[in-house]
Amino acid sequence: MTDGLTEPEAVASLGDPAQVNRALRRTYLTQSEQGTLQLDHQWLWWAMTVILLGYGTSLLMIGGTESSGPLAGVVTALTLGGTAWCLLRSRPDALRNYLLNQLGGWLVNFSFWLGWAVQAWLGDPPSFGAIVWLLPVVWVVWFVEVGRVVRRMRRTLKLEGRA
């Protein structure tokens, strides 16, 4: 319209409305998606951290030195989680909440995987050893989806001041 087109002409120049709708939904979050993703799920992050701490404590109390594989997984996951928490504190609330929500579940998953991988490396593979190789494949799919949502969320957050 800044080029002198009328509103109907400007709308017509965009093309097929269904295609425009699909393109916008791939690029930006819808209002319902944005509302869902902006929920504050920090309690889930803290719950996962408490679960990891409890699991690590039980490994020390019950397993002692024989639980070095799973304990390595817990310590590494807690270290990564603390680092991520520090890095994400400065992000916008909606983005931080979404990433912490996703990261909490991944850290518990990673903790178990690393414990099982260390056990397998030490010669005592878990009875379901195929999961040690399958989980990284699942993570790639998970990270691609999280990255897609984060890109859409950043674009949408940039629009908020101008819309």
Side-chain angles (χ1 to χ4, degrees):
M1 291 176 54
T2 58
D3 293 336
L5 296 176
T6 65
E7 186 175 341
E9 291 171 336
V11 170
S13 71
L14 293 174
D16 180 32
Q19 288 179 335
V20 171
N21 185 14
R22 276 193 300 277
L24 287 173
R25 286 177 179 268
R26 279 192 309 267
T27 306
Y28 302 102
L29 295 174
T30 64
Q31 190 171 8
S32 64
E33 288 173 324
Q34 189 173 2
T36 303
L37 294 174
Q38 286 184 347
L39 294 176
D40 188 352
H41 291 296
Q42 289 189 26
W43 64 269
L44 183 60
W45 166 261
W46 290 110
M48 295 300 176
T49 303
V50 168
I51 287 170
L52 281 173
L53 287 170
Y55 178 55
T57 302
S58 68
L59 287 171
L60 283 174
M61 291 173 46
I62 297 169
T65 58
E66 293 180 13
S67 61
S68 61
L71 196 55
V74 170
V75 170
T76 304
L78 288 172
T79 303
L80 289 173
T83 303
W85 176 264
C86 290
L87 293 173
L88 292 174
R89 284 185 316 172
S90 63
R91 300 287 183 224
D93 287 345
L95 187 59
R96 182 187 64 233
N97 292 341
Y98 175 71
L99 288 172
L100 286 177
N101 183 25
Q102 294 298 315
L103 189 61
W106 182 82
L107 285 174
V108 170
N109 182 305
F110 177 76
S111 169
F112 289 131
W113 172 82
L114 186 60
W116 297 328
V118 169
Q119 275 183 300
W121 183 62
L122 294 174
D124 183 25
S127 58
F128 45 91
I131 200 163
V132 171
W133 308 114
L134 178 64
L135 282 177
V137 173
V138 173
W139 296 342
V140 169
V141 173
W142 190 356
F143 287 142
V144 166
E145 176 61 17
V146 167
R148 188 180 67 80
V149 171
V150 166
R151 281 190 305 278
R152 289 175 63 213
M153 187 178 288
R154 283 185 177 156
R155 289 182 197 129
T156 303
L157 290 173
K158 283 182 184 177
L159 281 179
E160 282 185 355
R162 296 181 286 170

